[in-house]
Each structure stands twice: as C-alpha cells, then as structure tokens.
C-alpha cells in the first residue's frame, strides 16, 4: 500500500481568483466607509440657495436726513444703528466717544435739538429731520466755545477721554439754566463720569463759562 497521501486530502481547496478574501473585503469596506464619512464632514449640509442666503443676511435699513453741526446729511443705515455709530462710522465725527455703550458714562453725549442725549442709546432712524450738535460743532472756526476755553483755563481734564461728553453736557446744562450753584452743576452733570476724578475743575469750568466765576 502506498504511503504517499493524495493532494486532495492534505491541501486547502483552491480559491477562485475573482473572489475577494475576508481580509481584503474588510479593508476595502473600511476605506470606502471612511471616505463617505469624511466627505460628509467636509461638505457639511447643503447650503441655502444664493437668493435665500442673501435674504437671510439682509437687514432692514432706512433713509435718514438730519442736520449735524449745521450740515445736512442724508444716509441709509441699518435700523439698529445708534446715533453714536452714525456719527463715528458714517460721518467721521469721532469726537463723541464710545465709553460704556450702555448710557452709563456720558462720554457719547450730544445735543439733539438742543437737548442732551446719550447717543449710544439713541437709534439713528428715529432722528429724521432733527438737528444734532457734537463737540466738533461748538467752536466757530478758530474761536473756541467759552466752555471749551474754560476747560483749558481750569485744566479740567486729564486723560481727555470723557472731555467731549463733559463739554457738550456742560453746554446743555448752561442752556437749560442749571448753573445757579456748584451743587446744582454737580447734580445736573452727574450723568457724566470722569474716571480721572477731575470733577472739581469741571464744575469750575462750567462756572467760568456761565459767568459765575
């Protein structure tokens, strides 16, 4: 009897060259699946149409005509624009300062039809037809407003950041007739904060400009 084993008894069955192995199948599906996930992460959700995106980004705007320091201006602004941003960003009048942007410091004070307002809290679209005076509009050419000169004479400023709002508020205070005493001036100027603490000299400057000193 022959001791040689037949090939069919000891060798594994031949694999069809066209059938993928288990290892090849797993590797292929992993690569394909990862590519699909990656492409989804990169591409993200389908963007809105151009017209829909433009409509979503657009915000309501209005046309406003107002007089600032004697000059007539007509501008189209976002309805959310404050008077302060209109002055600084649209008209280039940067004298009015953005301090707290919450109406608490008075650095942005301007006169609207002669009345003191915090321009950071005032919507520009509500001021159609009004007259606005900023610190740039107080002087007449090279001649300073009496209160501007008094601030220099009394050395009523240090860093100077609050000074434009202090001066405009002081002018309003004088026009309103609230300069009868130092105490009255302090009361009616209390909405203007000076972080350098020049309050005594500010009151003296208002007294000087109003003829009390």
């Amino acid at each position: 009897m022959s001791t040689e084993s037949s090939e069919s008894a000891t060798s594994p069955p031949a694999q069809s060259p066209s059938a993928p192995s288990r290892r090849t199948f797993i590797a292929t599906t992993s690569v394909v699946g990862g590519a699909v996930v990656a492409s989804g992460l990169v591409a993200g959700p389908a963007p809105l149409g151009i017209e829909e995106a433009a409509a979503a980004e657009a915000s309501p705007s209005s046309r406003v005509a107002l007089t600032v320091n004697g000059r007539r201006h007509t501008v189209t602004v976002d309805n959310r624009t404050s008077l302060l941003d209109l002055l600084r960003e649209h008209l280039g009048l940067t004298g009015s300062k953005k301090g707290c942007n919450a109406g608490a410091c008075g650095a942005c004070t301007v006169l609207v039809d002669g009345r003191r307002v915090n321009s950071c809290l005032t919507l520009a679209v509500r001021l159609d037809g009004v007259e606005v005076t900023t610190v740039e509009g107080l002087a007449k050419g090279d001649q300073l407003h009496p209160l501007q000169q008094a601030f220099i004479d009394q050395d009523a400023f240090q860093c100077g950041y609050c000074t434009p709002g202090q001066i405009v508020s002081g002018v309003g205070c004088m026009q309103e007739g609230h300069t009868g005493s130092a105490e009255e001036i302090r009361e009616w100027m209390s909405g203007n904060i000076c972080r350098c603490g020049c309050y005594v000299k500010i009151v003296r400057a208002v007294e000087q400009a109003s003829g009390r000193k």
Side-chain angles (χ1 to χ4, degrees):
M1 181 174 69
S2 173
T3 59
E4 185 177 350
S5 301
S6 66
E7 183 177 349
S8 59
T10 59
S11 301
Q15 189 175 47
S16 170
S18 60
S21 67
R22 182 172 179 273
R23 179 178 298 175
T24 302
F25 175 77
I26 293 175
T28 303
T29 53
S30 298
V31 171
V32 173
V36 171
V37 172
S39 64
L41 291 175
V42 173
L48 295 172
I50 296 177
E51 294 182 358
E52 293 179 353
E57 294 176 0
S59 56
S61 60
S62 299
R63 192 177 181 86
V64 182
L66 68 169
T67 301
V68 181
N69 299 331
R71 294 185 58 186
R72 188 74 168 172
H73 297 275
T74 301
V75 293
T76 300
V77 294
D78 186 306
N79 287 351
R80 299 164 294 181
T81 302
S82 68
L83 173 58
L84 178 60
D85 286 338
L86 170 65
L87 294 171
R88 292 179 58 85
E89 299 177 12
H90 293 262
L91 303 183
L93 298 172
T94 56
S96 303
K97 303 305 182 187
K98 182 175 286 190
C100 64
N101 207 34
C105 73
C108 66
T109 304
V110 299
L111 302 178
V112 175
D113 288 339
R115 295 177 59 253
R116 293 179 284 176
V117 302
N118 291 320
S119 58
C120 71
L121 296 183
T122 307
L123 289 176
V125 294
R126 300 185 62 184
L127 302 179
D128 191 61
V130 307
E131 184 169 347
V132 178
T133 303
T134 71
V135 68
E136 292 94 336
L138 295 178
K140 298 185 182 301
D142 294 332
Q143 182 180 357
L144 295 177
H145 186 280
L147 186 53
Q148 290 175 308
Q149 185 62 54
F151 262 69
I152 296 173
D153 296 341
Q154 297 294 334
D155 192 24
F157 51 88
Q158 188 167 326
C159 78
Y161 194 83
C162 75
T163 302
Q166 297 279 2
I167 291 175
V168 174
S169 185
V171 170
C173 187
M174 292 164 57
Q175 292 176 351
E176 296 160 10
H178 298 304
T179 58
S181 65
E183 291 74 17
E184 186 178 16
I185 293 171
R186 282 195 291 268
E187 174 68 24
W188 288 90
M189 291 282 292
S190 60
N192 291 79
I193 295 174
C194 175
R195 291 177 173 85
C196 300
C198 294
Y199 295 112
V200 173
K201 295 181 179 180
I202 290 171
V203 171
R204 289 175 182 170
V206 176
E207 288 181 317
Q208 175 183 319
S210 61
R212 293 193 62 256
K213 190 176 184 64

